[in-house]
C-alpha cells in the first residue's frame, strides 16, 4: 500500500488484553459495513444497532444504558442540554389542536416553549397548580396529550404527588413527563411512580463539574421510542462522544458528591431557617416544609440545592448583600463542585398560582468546599444583610418602605 493510502487507512491493531475500567471515546459519523448487502440492510439493525454517528456510538450508548438502568426505564436518549431533553420529550407527542398541561413551577424555559412555540404550532397550553391535583382534574381534557411535571418545582420547591397526578393523566390517555434534575435518578425515580418519560439536565449534578451541557430522556415503554428517536433524527440532534465520556466520568462520583451536598445543604437550611431575616427556607427535607410528607414517601434523599425567602424589610437588600460572599460564586446553573448563589425572581413565571411575598428568592447550590468555610461565607452575607437592613430601618422607621 502506498504512503498516501496508508495515511488514510486505520491499521488493525489488537485490543486483546486491553480492558480499561472506563469506556473509550468512540468518535464517528460514518460507520462502515462489510459489504453492499450489509449496507442495504442497515435499517434492519433497529434502534439497538449502529447505523450513523448521530444515532449513537458505544460511548453514548454506555451513558444511555447507565441512565436507563438507574431510572428503571426501557431506553434513554442523550440531548445537547437539559432544556433540549425537555423540549424533545414533548414535541414528538403533540400536534395542532392538542392540549398540554404544564406545571406552574416548571423550569422557566419550559413555560416559554409552551407559550411561544407550542401555541404558535396550534397546541393549547394550560398551567396547573403543583399542589392541587384538583386543579389538574379541572383542566385536563380528552385532547390533553401530555402533562408536564417537575418535582420539586423550580426555585420554589413544591413537591408533587406524582402517583396521583399520573392517575389523573392516564385516565384521560395523557402521557406524564417529569423533569427530575433536582433529584437525579439517585434521589427519585419518577418512572417507578407513574411517569412515562423522565428528563435530566446532566449538566447539573450528574456531570458535576460545571463544564458540560447535556440532557437525557428516559422512557418507561418502548412504544415511546420511535416518535422521539425519529424526531431527533429529523432535527439532526445528537451529542458528542467526548462530552458523553466526561459525563460518564462525573457519574462515577455522583453518589458521594450528592450525599455530601445533601448533608451540608440540609444542615445549612436548618440553620438559616432560624435567622430572623429569613422568612422561609424552601427545602423538601425540612419537616416544616409543606411538601415534606410526599417527599419522604417518594424520594430516596434530597439534593444540594435549596432556596430561601426573606422578610419584607430584608428582601430589598439581598441583591447588594450578595457581594459579601467570597466562596459562593454568583451564577446560574448548579450541581458543580463550586458552591453557587443566585437571586431568582418567580412572580413572572407563575400564572396558575400567585406568588406571595417579595419577588426575590435566593437559591443556593452546595458544592464540595470545606463546610465551615462555606458557613462562614453565609454568615458574612447575613451580617451584611443585617447591616444594610437596619441602616435603612432605623433612621426612617415611621416611613420605612414596605414591599409585598
Ligand atoms: C438547568 C435545568 C434545566 C436545563 O438544563 P440545561 O442543560 O442548562 O439546558 C432543566 N431543568 C431544570 C430543573 C434545570 O435546573
Amino acid at each position: 500500500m502506498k504512503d498516501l493510502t496508508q495515511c488514510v487507512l486505520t491499521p488493525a491493531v489488537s485490543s486483546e488484553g486491553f480492558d480499561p475500567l472506563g469506556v473509550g471515546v468512540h468518535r464517528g459519523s460514518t460507520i462502515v459495513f462489510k459489504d453492499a448487502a450489509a449496507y442495504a440492510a442497515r435499517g434492519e439493525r433497529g434502534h439497538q444497532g449502529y447505523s450513523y454517528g448521530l444515532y449513537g456510538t458505544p460511548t453514548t450508548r454506555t451513558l444511555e444504558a447507565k441512565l436507563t438502568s438507574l431510572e428503571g426505564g426501557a431506553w434513554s436518549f442523550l440531548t445537547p442540554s437539559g432544556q433540549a431533553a425537555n423540549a424533545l420529550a414533548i414535541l414528538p407527542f403533540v400536534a395542532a389542536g392538542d392540549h398540554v398541561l404544564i406545571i406552574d413551577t416548571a423550569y422557566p424555559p419550559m413555560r416559554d416553549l409552551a407559550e411561544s412555540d407550542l401555541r404558535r404550532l396550534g397546541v393549547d397550553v394550560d398551567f396547573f397548580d403543583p399542589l392541587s391535583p384538583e386543579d389538574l382534574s379541572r383542566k385536563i381534557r380528552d385532547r390533553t396529550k401530555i402533562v408536564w411535571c417537575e418535582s420539586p418545582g423550580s426555585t420554589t420547591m413544591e413537591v408533587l404527588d406524582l402517583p396521583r397526578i399520573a392517575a389523573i393523566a392516564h385516565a384521560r390517555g395523557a402521557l406524564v413527563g417529569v423533569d427530575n434534575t433536582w433529584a437525579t435518578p439517585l434521589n427519585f425515580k419518577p418512572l417507578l411512580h407513574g411517569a412515562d418519560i423522565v428528563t435530566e439536565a446532566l449538566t447539573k449534578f450528574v456531570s458535576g463539574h460545571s463544564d458540560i451541557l447535556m440532557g437525557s430522556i428516559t422512557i418507561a415503554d418502548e412504544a415511546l421510542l420511535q416518535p422521539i428517536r425519529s424526531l431527533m433524527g429529523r432535527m439532526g440532534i445528537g451529542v458528542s462522544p467526548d462530552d458523553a465520556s466526561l459525563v460518564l466520568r462525573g457519574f462515577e462520583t455522583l453518589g458521594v458528591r450528592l450525599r455530601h451536598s445533601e448533608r451540608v445543604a440540609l444542615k445549612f437550611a436548618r440553620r438559616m431557617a432560624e435567622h430572623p431575616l429569613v422568612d422561609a427556607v424552601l427545602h423538601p427535607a425540612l419537616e416544616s416544609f409543606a411538601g415534606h410528607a410526599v417527599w419522604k414517601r417518594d424520594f430516596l434523599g434530597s439534593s444540594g440545592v435549596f432556596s430561601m425567602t426573606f422578610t419584607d424589610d430584608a428582601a430589598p437588600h439581598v441583591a447588594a448583600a450578595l457581594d459579601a460572599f467570597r466562596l459562593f460564586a454568583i451564577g446560574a446553573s448548579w450541581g458543580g463542585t463550586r458552591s453557587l448563589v443566585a437571586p431568582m425572581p418567580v412572580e413572572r413565571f407563575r400564572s396558575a398560582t400567585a406568588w406571595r411575598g417579595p419577588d426575590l428568592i435566593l437559591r443556593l447550590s452546595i458544592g464540595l468546599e470545606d463546610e465551615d468555610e462555606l458557613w462562614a461565607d453565609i454568615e458574612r452575607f447575613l451580617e451584611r444583610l443585617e447591616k444594610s437592613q437596619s441602616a435603612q430601618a432605623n433612621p426612617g422607621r415611621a416611613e420605612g418602605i414596605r414591599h409585598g
Side-chain angles (χ1 to χ4, degrees), residues 262-325:
E262 169 181 26
R263 182 182 60 75
V264 178
L266 189 53
K267 195 162 159 185
F268 288 2
R270 289 193 203 288
R271 284 190 197 159
M272 294 188 91
E274 306 277 288
H275 196 277
L277 295 183
V278 172
D279 185 44
V281 173
L282 313 176
H283 189 314
L286 290 182
E287 294 74 10
S288 57
F289 191 66
H292 179 72
V294 176
W295 171 79
K296 204 163 173 185
R297 185 193 67 193
D298 293 348
F299 284 62
L300 302 163
S302 62
S303 198
V305 174
F306 65 99
S307 307
M308 75 209 65
T309 59
F310 295 87
T311 62
D312 289 350
D313 292 335
H317 304 284
V318 169
L322 295 181
D323 290 342
F325 280 115

Side-chain angles (χ1 to χ4, degrees), residues 155 306-308 310 315 317-323 325 329-333 340-346 348-349 359-365 381:
T155 312
F306 65 99
S307 307
M308 75 209 65
F310 295 87
H317 304 284
V318 169
L322 295 181
D323 290 342
F325 280 115
I330 302 173
S333 200
L340 291 176
V341 58
M344 314 285 291
V346 290
R348 75 189 76 149
F349 302 123
D359 191 23
L360 183 144
I361 299 186
L362 198 64
R363 188 180 66 195
L364 296 187
S365 171
F381 158 75

Side-chain angles (χ1 to χ4, degrees), residues 231-245:
L231 181 64
M232 283 179 69
R234 291 193 295 273
M235 293 180 77
I237 290 169
V239 306
S240 132
D242 295 271
D243 289 354
S245 90

Side-chain angles (χ1 to χ4, degrees), residues 6-84:
Q6 284 196 59
C7 283
V8 172
L9 265 56
T10 304
V13 297
S14 168
S15 56
E16 170 90 27
F18 180 72
D19 282 320
L21 288 169
V23 61
V25 178
H26 296 273
R27 299 195 189 92
S29 51
T30 299
I31 286 157
V32 296
F33 296 80
K34 74 175 188 321
D35 53 31
Y39 182 73
R42 69 192 183 285
E44 291 160 24
R45 289 180 170 194
H47 65 272
Q48 313 251 16
Y50 294 109
S51 56
Y52 189 54
L54 187 68
Y55 296 104
T57 63
T59 315
T60 56
R61 289 284 167 83
T62 304
L63 178 52
E64 289 167 357
K66 194 172 276 209
L67 286 158
T68 301
S69 161
L70 283 166
E71 305 273 19
W75 189 259
S76 298
F77 301 91
L78 300 177
T79 60
S81 69
Q83 175 55 17

Side-chain angles (χ1 to χ4, degrees), residues 81-83 86 107 150 154 179 181 201 203-204 213-214 334:
S81 69
Q83 175 55 17
N86 288 348
Y107 178 63
E150 182 178 329
S154 257
D179 180 336
T181 299
T203 306
K204 307 284 172 59
L213 283 150
M214 200 177 291
W334 41 266

